[in-house]
Amino acid sequence: MIFAIVGTQRFQFNRMFELIDQAIESGIIEEEVIAQSGYTDYKPRYFKVEPFFSQDQINDYVSQSRCVISHAGVGTITNCLEMGKPVIVIPRRQALGEHVDNHQLEISKVFYDSGYVAVAESLEEMKDLVPNIETLAFQPYIRKESDLIASIKNYVNSL
């Protein structure tokens, strides 16, 4: 099973679901796909969607999945990586009305350049990634403590 997730932003992400439908139709994706659609209004032909899931449901779907196809939301990506799942990121684009700016392009580049995720925006890229996702060599993800948390801990310890 593949789990797809677009987060909770109030923007459509039809392009991601159209790409998944095309990948299923062309045989690139052969297993079941379950997706969290948020405010996306695209009606998939080949997979099931629900607008929103609880965090427990998301965690269950991620743990059951072979891989996750995700928007470039930091929380979503890190949650999947911490659960040991390979992630294919499809970043939202401002020019397509998918977000207010292109920060998801920047986020996906940082995670990709660090070796944590794969990035796909075309059917050709999906064809290279989806069937082979388990054989790709991703870097293990370890959550780093934020500077803010470290500063608060240092302050508390100094009292």
Side-chain angles (χ1 to χ4, degrees):
M1 184 265 286
I2 292 176
F3 183 57
I5 184 167
V6 299
T8 58
Q9 292 294 316
R10 292 188 179 269
F11 297 93
Q12 59 78 24
F13 200 13
N14 295 340
R15 180 171 58 96
M16 180 170 141
F17 286 170
E18 289 167 0
L19 187 56
I20 293 170
D21 252 349
Q22 291 169 2
I24 294 169
E25 185 173 53
S26 66
I28 295 168
I29 295 176
E30 297 177 340
E31 66 254 67
E32 175 186 28
V33 173
I34 297 173
Q36 179 265 324
S37 60
Y39 294 93
T40 297
D41 54 12
Y42 177 79
K43 304 294 184 224
R45 294 171 294 167
Y46 302 110
F47 61 98
K48 303 173 200 170
V49 297
E50 287 290 332
F52 300 100
F53 293 115
S54 69
Q55 189 61 51
D56 286 342
Q57 289 172 306
I58 289 169
N59 290 344
D60 285 344
Y61 283 126
V62 170
S63 69
Q64 295 170 35
S65 69
R66 181 172 70 88
C67 72
V68 176
I69 299 173
S70 176
H71 73 132
V74 173
T76 301
I77 293 170
T78 57
N79 183 56
C80 296
L81 294 175
E82 287 174 343
M83 293 178 74
K85 293 299 174 175
V87 181
I88 299 172
V89 175
I90 302 175
R92 294 173 180 263
R93 292 183 171 267
Q94 177 186 21
L96 300 175
E98 298 167 346
H99 220 303
V100 296
D101 59 25
N102 282 321
H103 73 277
Q104 287 211 354
L105 290 170
E106 297 166 10
I107 290 167
S108 62
K109 182 175 179 355
V110 168
F111 277 93
Y112 175 80
D113 288 349
S114 298
Y116 298 136
V117 303
V119 176
E121 293 196 75
S122 70
L123 193 60
E124 199 59 36
E125 290 168 322
M126 293 287 276
K127 182 180 177 184
D128 292 338
L129 294 171
V130 173
N132 305 308
I133 196 73
E134 294 96 347
T135 65
L136 300 178
F138 293 107
Q139 293 299 312
Y141 178 75
I142 300 167
R143 183 181 293 265
K144 296 176 184 157
E145 187 174 272
S146 75
D147 291 339
L148 176 61
I149 299 297
S151 295
I152 291 169
K153 282 183 178 178
N154 286 338
Y155 174 73
V156 169
N157 290 336
S158 72
L159 298 177

